[in-house]
Amino acid sequence: MPDTPHKALATATLRVLRPFVRILLRHGISYATFAELAKWIFVDVATEEFAMPGRKQSVSRVAVITGLTRKEVTRVQQLPRPDDSEETEQYNRAARVIGGWLRDPDFRSGDEPAELPFEDSPISFSELVRRHSGDVPARAILDELVRVGAVERKDDGPIRLVTRAYVPHSSEVNKLTIVGQDAAALLATMDHNLDPNRGSPRFQRTVAYDNLPDEALAPLRELSSEQAQALLERLNAWLAEQDRDSNPTVNGTGRNRAGLGIFYFEAPVRDEESKS
Protein backbone atom coordinates (compact mmCIF):
# COMPACT_ATOMS: atom_id res chain seq x y z
CA MET A 1 0.00 0.00 0.00
CA PRO A 2 1.32 3.52 -0.77
CA ASP A 3 2.40 5.23 2.47
CA THR A 4 1.78 8.88 1.50
CA PRO A 5 -1.06 10.75 -0.25
CA HIS A 6 1.25 11.66 -3.15
CA LYS A 7 2.22 8.02 -3.71
CA ALA A 8 -1.39 6.92 -3.43
CA LEU A 9 -2.45 9.56 -5.97
CA ALA A 10 0.39 8.57 -8.32
CA THR A 11 -0.80 4.95 -8.15
CA ALA A 12 -4.40 6.03 -8.73
CA THR A 13 -3.33 8.17 -11.70
CA LEU A 14 -1.64 5.20 -13.35
CA ARG A 15 -4.75 3.06 -12.87
CA VAL A 16 -7.06 5.75 -14.24
CA LEU A 17 -4.83 6.54 -17.22
CA ARG A 18 -4.24 2.96 -18.35
CA PRO A 19 -7.72 2.35 -19.86
CA PHE A 20 -7.89 5.95 -21.02
CA VAL A 21 -4.55 5.72 -22.86
CA ARG A 22 -5.77 2.47 -24.42
CA ILE A 23 -8.75 4.41 -25.85
CA LEU A 24 -6.48 7.23 -27.05
CA LEU A 25 -4.05 4.94 -28.84
CA ARG A 26 -6.86 2.94 -30.43
CA HIS A 27 -8.20 6.16 -31.95
CA GLY A 28 -4.88 7.56 -33.11
CA ILE A 29 -4.33 10.18 -30.40
CA SER A 30 -0.58 10.56 -29.87
CA TYR A 31 1.22 11.43 -26.67
CA ALA A 32 1.97 14.90 -28.06
CA THR A 33 -1.74 15.60 -28.59
CA PHE A 34 -2.62 14.23 -25.15
CA ALA A 35 0.12 16.30 -23.52
CA GLU A 36 -1.15 19.48 -25.16
CA LEU A 37 -4.71 18.76 -23.99
CA ALA A 38 -3.45 17.99 -20.48
CA LYS A 39 -1.48 21.22 -20.45
CA TRP A 40 -4.57 23.17 -21.51
CA ILE A 41 -6.75 21.69 -18.77
CA PHE A 42 -4.05 22.17 -16.11
CA VAL A 43 -3.87 25.86 -16.99
CA ASP A 44 -7.66 26.23 -17.22
CA VAL A 45 -8.35 24.59 -13.84
CA ALA A 46 -5.55 26.51 -12.14
CA THR A 47 -6.86 29.77 -13.62
CA GLU A 48 -10.55 29.24 -12.89
CA GLU A 49 -10.54 27.31 -9.62
CA PHE A 50 -7.32 28.01 -7.70
CA ALA A 51 -7.25 31.80 -7.43
CA MET A 52 -6.65 33.44 -4.05
CA PRO A 53 -9.94 34.59 -2.47
CA GLY A 54 -10.85 38.06 -3.65
CA ARG A 55 -7.97 38.30 -6.11
CA LYS A 56 -7.74 37.79 -9.86
CA GLN A 57 -5.62 34.81 -10.80
CA SER A 58 -2.21 35.82 -12.15
CA VAL A 59 -0.05 34.15 -14.79
CA SER A 60 2.72 33.84 -12.21
CA ARG A 61 0.52 31.96 -9.74
CA VAL A 62 -0.75 29.63 -12.48
CA ALA A 63 2.88 28.95 -13.41
CA VAL A 64 3.72 28.10 -9.79
CA ILE A 65 0.72 25.80 -9.37
CA THR A 66 1.17 23.94 -12.66
CA GLY A 67 4.96 23.91 -12.88
CA LEU A 68 4.84 25.51 -16.33
CA THR A 69 6.76 28.63 -17.31
CA ARG A 70 4.91 31.96 -17.41
CA LYS A 71 5.54 32.11 -21.15
CA GLU A 72 3.94 28.70 -21.63
CA VAL A 73 0.97 29.60 -19.41
CA THR A 74 0.36 32.74 -21.49
CA ARG A 75 0.58 30.72 -24.73
CA VAL A 76 -1.88 28.11 -23.51
CA GLN A 77 -4.34 30.72 -22.20
CA GLN A 78 -4.49 32.21 -25.70
CA LEU A 79 -5.45 28.91 -27.34
CA PRO A 80 -9.07 28.34 -28.38
CA ARG A 81 -11.08 26.20 -26.01
CA PRO A 82 -11.49 22.56 -27.14
CA ASP A 83 -15.26 22.19 -27.35
CA ASP A 84 -17.61 19.21 -27.67
CA SER A 85 -20.81 21.11 -26.86
CA GLU A 86 -22.54 20.12 -30.12
CA GLU A 87 -22.02 16.39 -29.56
CA THR A 88 -22.99 16.68 -25.88
CA GLU A 89 -26.22 18.53 -26.70
CA GLN A 90 -27.12 15.92 -29.34
CA TYR A 91 -26.59 13.15 -26.77
CA ASN A 92 -28.74 14.91 -24.16
CA ARG A 93 -31.60 15.62 -26.56
CA ALA A 94 -31.72 12.06 -27.92
CA ALA A 95 -31.64 10.63 -24.38
CA ARG A 96 -34.52 12.89 -23.33
CA VAL A 97 -36.66 11.73 -26.26
CA ILE A 98 -36.17 8.06 -25.33
CA GLY A 99 -36.84 8.86 -21.67
CA GLY A 100 -40.09 10.59 -22.58
CA TRP A 101 -41.13 7.70 -24.80
CA LEU A 102 -40.63 5.29 -21.89
CA ARG A 103 -42.45 7.25 -19.18
CA ASP A 104 -45.02 9.57 -20.82
CA PRO A 105 -48.38 7.74 -20.84
CA ASP A 106 -49.42 9.57 -24.02
CA PHE A 107 -46.70 7.72 -25.93
CA ARG A 108 -47.18 4.28 -24.40
CA SER A 109 -49.34 1.33 -25.36
CA GLY A 110 -50.06 -0.62 -22.21
CA ASP A 111 -46.74 -1.31 -20.52
CA GLU A 112 -44.61 -0.68 -23.61
CA PRO A 113 -43.64 2.36 -25.70
CA ALA A 114 -46.13 2.79 -28.54
CA GLU A 115 -45.27 2.65 -32.22
CA LEU A 116 -45.58 6.21 -33.49
CA PRO A 117 -46.26 7.81 -36.86
CA PHE A 118 -43.77 10.50 -37.72
CA GLU A 119 -46.44 13.26 -37.82
CA ASP A 120 -50.05 13.96 -38.85
CA SER A 121 -51.35 12.68 -35.52
CA PRO A 122 -51.84 14.22 -32.06
CA ILE A 123 -49.64 11.42 -30.71
CA SER A 124 -46.70 11.26 -33.10
CA PHE A 125 -42.93 11.10 -33.04
CA SER A 126 -42.80 14.80 -33.91
CA GLU A 127 -45.00 15.61 -30.90
CA LEU A 128 -42.78 13.40 -28.69
CA VAL A 129 -39.72 15.37 -29.77
CA ARG A 130 -41.47 18.72 -29.32
CA ARG A 131 -42.65 17.80 -25.85
CA HIS A 132 -39.42 16.28 -24.55
CA SER A 133 -36.59 17.83 -26.56
CA GLY A 134 -37.63 21.38 -27.34
CA ASP A 135 -37.32 23.02 -30.73
CA VAL A 136 -34.84 20.64 -32.35
CA PRO A 137 -36.13 19.27 -35.70
CA ALA A 138 -37.87 15.92 -35.25
CA ARG A 139 -36.26 14.61 -38.45
CA ALA A 140 -32.77 15.23 -37.01
CA ILE A 141 -33.61 13.29 -33.84
CA LEU A 142 -35.16 10.45 -35.86
CA ASP A 143 -32.12 10.20 -38.13
CA GLU A 144 -29.84 10.05 -35.09
CA LEU A 145 -31.90 7.37 -33.31
CA VAL A 146 -32.09 5.27 -36.48
CA ARG A 147 -28.34 5.65 -37.03
CA VAL A 148 -27.43 4.40 -33.55
CA GLY A 149 -29.94 1.53 -33.66
CA ALA A 150 -32.35 2.87 -31.02
CA VAL A 151 -35.44 2.87 -33.29
CA GLU A 152 -36.68 0.97 -36.33
CA ARG A 153 -38.80 2.22 -39.21
CA LYS A 154 -39.74 0.39 -42.39
CA ASP A 155 -40.30 2.65 -45.38
CA ASP A 156 -42.52 5.49 -44.12
CA GLY A 157 -44.33 3.34 -41.57
CA PRO A 158 -44.61 3.74 -37.81
CA ILE A 159 -41.49 4.25 -35.70
CA ARG A 160 -40.70 1.61 -33.08
CA LEU A 161 -38.40 1.99 -30.07
CA VAL A 162 -36.07 -1.03 -29.87
CA THR A 163 -33.77 -0.03 -26.97
CA ARG A 164 -34.61 1.45 -23.57
CA ALA A 165 -31.59 3.75 -23.41
CA TYR A 166 -29.53 5.93 -25.73
CA VAL A 167 -26.40 3.82 -26.16
CA PRO A 168 -24.85 4.39 -29.60
CA HIS A 169 -23.74 1.20 -31.35
CA SER A 170 -22.56 2.65 -34.63
CA SER A 171 -21.38 6.20 -33.85
CA GLU A 172 -17.83 6.48 -32.57
CA VAL A 173 -18.24 10.21 -31.99
CA ASN A 174 -21.26 9.73 -29.73
CA LYS A 175 -19.68 6.83 -27.88
CA LEU A 176 -16.63 8.91 -27.11
CA THR A 177 -18.81 11.84 -26.02
CA ILE A 178 -20.45 9.52 -23.48
CA VAL A 179 -17.01 8.40 -22.28
CA GLY A 180 -16.15 12.00 -21.51
CA GLN A 181 -19.43 12.76 -19.75
CA ASP A 182 -19.61 9.61 -17.64
CA ALA A 183 -15.95 9.47 -16.64
CA ALA A 184 -15.99 13.17 -15.74
CA ALA A 185 -19.10 12.73 -13.58
CA LEU A 186 -17.57 9.78 -11.70
CA LEU A 187 -14.27 11.59 -11.08
CA ALA A 188 -16.13 14.75 -9.99
CA THR A 189 -17.96 12.69 -7.36
CA MET A 190 -14.66 11.22 -6.16
CA ASP A 191 -13.15 14.72 -6.03
CA HIS A 192 -16.12 15.91 -3.96
CA ASN A 193 -15.77 13.00 -1.53
CA LEU A 194 -12.02 13.58 -1.09
CA ASP A 195 -12.45 17.30 -0.30
CA PRO A 196 -13.06 17.85 3.44
CA ASN A 197 -14.59 21.27 2.69
CA ARG A 198 -17.35 19.98 0.41
CA GLY A 199 -19.89 18.93 3.08
CA SER A 200 -21.94 15.74 2.84
CA PRO A 201 -20.38 12.97 0.70
CA ARG A 202 -22.07 11.88 -2.50
CA PHE A 203 -23.15 8.29 -3.02
CA GLN A 204 -20.26 6.20 -4.35
CA ARG A 205 -20.39 2.44 -3.86
CA THR A 206 -19.00 -0.65 -5.59
CA VAL A 207 -19.73 -4.32 -5.03
CA ALA A 208 -17.17 -6.80 -6.39
CA TYR A 209 -15.63 -10.21 -5.71
CA ASP A 210 -12.28 -11.36 -7.09
CA ASN A 211 -12.49 -15.17 -7.25
CA LEU A 212 -15.42 -15.71 -9.60
CA PRO A 213 -15.41 -18.53 -12.18
CA ASP A 214 -15.90 -17.76 -15.86
CA GLU A 215 -19.33 -19.39 -15.71
CA ALA A 216 -20.63 -16.76 -13.27
CA LEU A 217 -19.95 -13.80 -15.56
CA ALA A 218 -22.76 -14.18 -18.11
CA PRO A 219 -25.50 -14.52 -15.43
CA LEU A 220 -23.99 -11.56 -13.57
CA ARG A 221 -24.06 -9.41 -16.71
CA GLU A 222 -27.72 -10.27 -17.28
CA LEU A 223 -28.74 -9.70 -13.65
CA SER A 224 -26.81 -6.43 -13.47
CA SER A 225 -28.31 -5.17 -16.72
CA GLU A 226 -31.90 -5.97 -15.73
CA GLN A 227 -31.77 -4.49 -12.24
CA ALA A 228 -29.69 -1.44 -13.18
CA GLN A 229 -32.00 -0.58 -16.08
CA ALA A 230 -35.07 -0.90 -13.85
CA LEU A 231 -33.55 1.45 -11.26
CA LEU A 232 -32.48 3.98 -13.90
CA GLU A 233 -35.98 4.03 -15.41
CA ARG A 234 -37.51 4.70 -11.96
CA LEU A 235 -35.06 7.54 -11.35
CA ASN A 236 -35.66 8.87 -14.87
CA ALA A 237 -39.39 9.18 -14.16
CA TRP A 238 -38.74 11.02 -10.87
CA LEU A 239 -36.11 13.35 -12.33
CA ALA A 240 -38.33 14.25 -15.27
CA GLU A 241 -40.96 15.51 -12.83
CA GLN A 242 -38.36 17.81 -11.21
CA ASP A 243 -36.65 19.06 -14.38
CA ARG A 244 -37.92 22.36 -15.76
CA ASP A 245 -37.25 21.36 -19.38
CA SER A 246 -39.49 18.31 -18.98
CA ASN A 247 -41.96 19.89 -16.55
CA PRO A 248 -42.28 23.68 -17.05
CA THR A 249 -44.53 23.97 -13.97
CA VAL A 250 -41.57 23.33 -11.64
CA ASN A 251 -40.40 26.38 -9.71
CA GLY A 252 -37.20 26.96 -7.77
CA THR A 253 -33.83 28.65 -7.91
CA GLY A 254 -30.53 27.75 -9.57
CA ARG A 255 -29.79 25.30 -12.34
CA ASN A 256 -28.14 21.96 -11.55
CA ARG A 257 -27.23 18.74 -13.29
CA ALA A 258 -27.67 15.66 -11.11
CA GLY A 259 -28.27 11.97 -11.58
CA LEU A 260 -26.95 8.49 -10.94
CA GLY A 261 -24.47 6.55 -13.07
CA ILE A 262 -24.17 2.76 -13.04
CA PHE A 263 -21.48 0.73 -14.78
CA TYR A 264 -20.54 -2.93 -14.98
CA PHE A 265 -16.94 -4.14 -14.94
CA GLU A 266 -15.00 -7.39 -15.19
CA ALA A 267 -11.40 -8.41 -15.80
CA PRO A 268 -9.18 -11.43 -15.16
CA VAL A 269 -7.28 -11.25 -11.89
CA ARG A 270 -3.55 -11.06 -12.56
CA ASP A 271 -1.17 -13.34 -10.66
CA GLU A 272 0.34 -10.52 -8.61
CA GLU A 273 -3.14 -9.35 -7.57
CA SER A 274 -4.19 -12.79 -6.40
CA LYS A 275 -1.22 -12.92 -4.01
CA SER A 276 -2.00 -9.62 -2.29
Short mmCIF file of all heavy atoms in Angstrom, two decimals, residues 78-101:
data_model
loop_
_atom_site.label_atom_id
_atom_site.label_comp_id
_atom_site.label_asym_id
_atom_site.label_seq_id
_atom_site.Cartn_x
_atom_site.Cartn_y
_atom_site.Cartn_z
N GLN A 78 -4.06 31.58 -24.46
CA GLN A 78 -4.49 32.21 -25.70
C GLN A 78 -5.02 31.22 -26.73
O GLN A 78 -5.53 31.61 -27.77
CB GLN A 78 -3.32 33.01 -26.31
CG GLN A 78 -2.90 34.20 -25.46
CD GLN A 78 -1.64 34.87 -25.97
OE1 GLN A 78 -0.92 34.33 -26.81
NE2 GLN A 78 -1.35 36.08 -25.46
N LEU A 79 -4.94 29.92 -26.42
CA LEU A 79 -5.45 28.91 -27.34
C LEU A 79 -6.97 28.86 -27.30
O LEU A 79 -7.58 29.14 -26.26
CB LEU A 79 -4.89 27.53 -26.96
CG LEU A 79 -3.38 27.32 -27.12
CD1 LEU A 79 -2.98 25.95 -26.56
CD2 LEU A 79 -2.96 27.45 -28.57
N PRO A 80 -7.62 28.51 -28.42
CA PRO A 80 -9.07 28.34 -28.38
C PRO A 80 -9.45 27.16 -27.51
O PRO A 80 -8.70 26.19 -27.37
CB PRO A 80 -9.43 28.08 -29.86
CG PRO A 80 -8.17 27.55 -30.47
CD PRO A 80 -7.05 28.23 -29.75
N ARG A 81 -10.61 27.25 -26.90
CA ARG A 81 -11.08 26.20 -26.01
C ARG A 81 -11.52 24.97 -26.80
O ARG A 81 -12.36 25.08 -27.70
CB ARG A 81 -12.26 26.70 -25.18
CG ARG A 81 -12.85 25.65 -24.24
CD ARG A 81 -14.07 26.20 -23.51
NE ARG A 81 -14.61 25.21 -22.62
CZ ARG A 81 -14.21 25.05 -21.36
NH1 ARG A 81 -13.30 25.86 -20.86
NH2 ARG A 81 -14.73 24.10 -20.60
N PRO A 82 -10.96 23.78 -26.51
CA PRO A 82 -11.49 22.56 -27.14
C PRO A 82 -12.95 22.39 -26.72
O PRO A 82 -13.26 22.49 -25.54
CB PRO A 82 -10.61 21.44 -26.55
CG PRO A 82 -9.40 22.14 -26.02
CD PRO A 82 -9.85 23.50 -25.59
N ASP A 83 -13.84 22.12 -27.66
CA ASP A 83 -15.26 22.19 -27.35
C ASP A 83 -16.00 21.02 -27.97
O ASP A 83 -15.87 20.77 -29.17
CB ASP A 83 -15.84 23.51 -27.89
CG ASP A 83 -17.23 23.78 -27.36
OD1 ASP A 83 -17.70 23.01 -26.52
OD2 ASP A 83 -17.84 24.76 -27.80
N ASP A 84 -16.78 20.31 -27.15
CA ASP A 84 -17.61 19.21 -27.67
C ASP A 84 -19.08 19.49 -27.40
O ASP A 84 -19.89 18.58 -27.32
CB ASP A 84 -17.20 17.88 -27.03
CG ASP A 84 -17.59 17.80 -25.55
OD1 ASP A 84 -17.90 18.86 -24.95
OD2 ASP A 84 -17.58 16.68 -25.00
N SER A 85 -19.44 20.78 -27.28
CA SER A 85 -20.81 21.11 -26.86
C SER A 85 -21.86 20.59 -27.84
O SER A 85 -22.95 20.19 -27.43
CB SER A 85 -20.95 22.63 -26.69
OG SER A 85 -20.63 23.30 -27.89
N GLU A 86 -21.55 20.58 -29.14
CA GLU A 86 -22.54 20.12 -30.12
C GLU A 86 -22.85 18.65 -29.93
O GLU A 86 -24.01 18.24 -29.91
CB GLU A 86 -22.03 20.37 -31.53
CG GLU A 86 -23.02 19.98 -32.62
CD GLU A 86 -22.52 20.29 -34.01
OE1 GLU A 86 -21.52 21.03 -34.15
OE2 GLU A 86 -23.15 19.80 -34.97
N GLU A 87 -21.80 17.82 -29.75
CA GLU A 87 -22.02 16.39 -29.56
C GLU A 87 -22.74 16.12 -28.24
O GLU A 87 -23.61 15.26 -28.14
CB GLU A 87 -20.69 15.64 -29.61
CG GLU A 87 -20.06 15.55 -30.99
CD GLU A 87 -19.32 16.84 -31.35
OE1 GLU A 87 -19.16 17.72 -30.48
OE2 GLU A 87 -18.90 16.95 -32.53
N THR A 88 -22.36 16.87 -27.18
CA THR A 88 -22.99 16.68 -25.88
C THR A 88 -24.47 17.03 -25.93
O THR A 88 -25.31 16.31 -25.38
CB THR A 88 -22.29 17.55 -24.83
OG1 THR A 88 -20.93 17.15 -24.72
CG2 THR A 88 -22.96 17.41 -23.47
N GLU A 89 -24.82 18.12 -26.60
CA GLU A 89 -26.22 18.53 -26.70
C GLU A 89 -27.01 17.50 -27.49
O GLU A 89 -28.16 17.18 -27.13
CB GLU A 89 -26.31 19.90 -27.36
CG GLU A 89 -27.75 20.40 -27.51
CD GLU A 89 -28.45 20.64 -26.19
OE1 GLU A 89 -27.76 20.70 -25.14
OE2 GLU A 89 -29.69 20.75 -26.19
N GLN A 90 -26.43 16.95 -28.55
CA GLN A 90 -27.12 15.92 -29.34
C GLN A 90 -27.41 14.70 -28.47
O GLN A 90 -28.49 14.12 -28.52
CB GLN A 90 -26.25 15.52 -30.54
CG GLN A 90 -26.91 14.50 -31.46
CD GLN A 90 -25.98 14.08 -32.58
OE1 GLN A 90 -24.83 13.71 -32.34
NE2 GLN A 90 -26.46 14.14 -33.80
N TYR A 91 -26.42 14.30 -27.67
CA TYR A 91 -26.59 13.15 -26.77
C TYR A 91 -27.73 13.42 -25.78
O TYR A 91 -28.60 12.58 -25.57
CB TYR A 91 -25.28 12.88 -26.04
CG TYR A 91 -25.41 11.98 -24.83
CD1 TYR A 91 -25.70 10.64 -24.98
CD2 TYR A 91 -25.23 12.48 -23.54
CE1 TYR A 91 -25.82 9.81 -23.88
CE2 TYR A 91 -25.35 11.66 -22.44
CZ TYR A 91 -25.64 10.33 -22.61
OH TYR A 91 -25.77 9.52 -21.51
N ASN A 92 -27.73 14.60 -25.16
CA ASN A 92 -28.74 14.91 -24.16
C ASN A 92 -30.14 14.94 -24.75
O ASN A 92 -31.09 14.45 -24.15
CB ASN A 92 -28.42 16.26 -23.50
CG ASN A 92 -27.19 16.19 -22.61
OD1 ASN A 92 -26.82 15.14 -22.13
ND2 ASN A 92 -26.55 17.33 -22.42
N ARG A 93 -30.27 15.53 -25.95
CA ARG A 93 -31.60 15.62 -26.56
C ARG A 93 -32.12 14.24 -26.95
O ARG A 93 -33.30 13.93 -26.72
CB ARG A 93 -31.54 16.54 -27.79
CG ARG A 93 -31.42 18.02 -27.45
CD ARG A 93 -31.46 18.86 -28.72
NE ARG A 93 -31.34 20.28 -28.44
CZ ARG A 93 -32.36 21.08 -28.12
NH1 ARG A 93 -33.57 20.56 -28.03
NH2 ARG A 93 -32.17 22.36 -27.90
N ALA A 94 -31.28 13.41 -27.53
CA ALA A 94 -31.72 12.06 -27.92
C ALA A 94 -32.11 11.25 -26.69
O ALA A 94 -33.10 10.51 -26.71
CB ALA A 94 -30.61 11.37 -28.70
N ALA A 95 -31.33 11.37 -25.61
CA ALA A 95 -31.64 10.63 -24.38
C ALA A 95 -32.97 11.09 -23.79
O ALA A 95 -33.75 10.27 -23.28
CB ALA A 95 -30.51 10.82 -23.37
N ARG A 96 -33.26 12.39 -23.87
CA ARG A 96 -34.52 12.89 -23.33
C ARG A 96 -35.72 12.37 -24.12
O ARG A 96 -36.78 12.08 -23.56
CB ARG A 96 -34.53 14.43 -23.31
CG ARG A 96 -33.62 15.04 -22.26
CD ARG A 96 -34.03 16.47 -21.93
NE ARG A 96 -33.94 17.35 -23.08
CZ ARG A 96 -32.87 18.08 -23.38
NH1 ARG A 96 -31.79 18.00 -22.64
NH2 ARG A 96 -32.87 18.88 -24.43
N VAL A 97 -35.56 12.25 -25.44
CA VAL A 97 -36.66 11.73 -26.26
C VAL A 97 -36.96 10.28 -25.87
O VAL A 97 -38.13 9.90 -25.70
CB VAL A 97 -36.32 11.84 -27.76
CG1 VAL A 97 -37.30 11.02 -28.60
CG2 VAL A 97 -36.33 13.29 -28.20
N ILE A 98 -35.94 9.45 -25.73
CA ILE A 98 -36.17 8.06 -25.33
C ILE A 98 -36.77 8.00 -23.93
O ILE A 98 -37.70 7.22 -23.67
CB ILE A 98 -34.86 7.27 -25.40
CG1 ILE A 98 -34.41 7.11 -26.86
CG2 ILE A 98 -35.03 5.89 -24.75
CD1 ILE A 98 -33.13 6.34 -27.03
N GLY A 99 -36.28 8.84 -23.02
CA GLY A 99 -36.84 8.86 -21.67
C GLY A 99 -38.31 9.23 -21.68
O GLY A 99 -39.12 8.62 -20.96
N GLY A 100 -38.68 10.22 -22.48
CA GLY A 100 -40.09 10.59 -22.58
C GLY A 100 -40.95 9.49 -23.17
O GLY A 100 -42.08 9.26 -22.74
N TRP A 101 -40.41 8.81 -24.16
CA TRP A 101 -41.13 7.70 -24.80
C TRP A 101 -41.41 6.58 -23.79
O TRP A 101 -42.46 5.94 -23.81
CB TRP A 101 -40.27 7.16 -25.94
CG TRP A 101 -41.02 6.52 -27.08
CD1 TRP A 101 -42.27 6.00 -27.07
CD2 TRP A 101 -40.51 6.34 -28.40
NE1 TRP A 101 -42.59 5.49 -28.30
CE2 TRP A 101 -41.52 5.67 -29.15
CE3 TRP A 101 -39.31 6.64 -29.04
CZ2 TRP A 101 -41.36 5.33 -30.48
CZ3 TRP A 101 -39.15 6.30 -30.37
CH2 TRP A 101 -40.16 5.65 -31.08
#
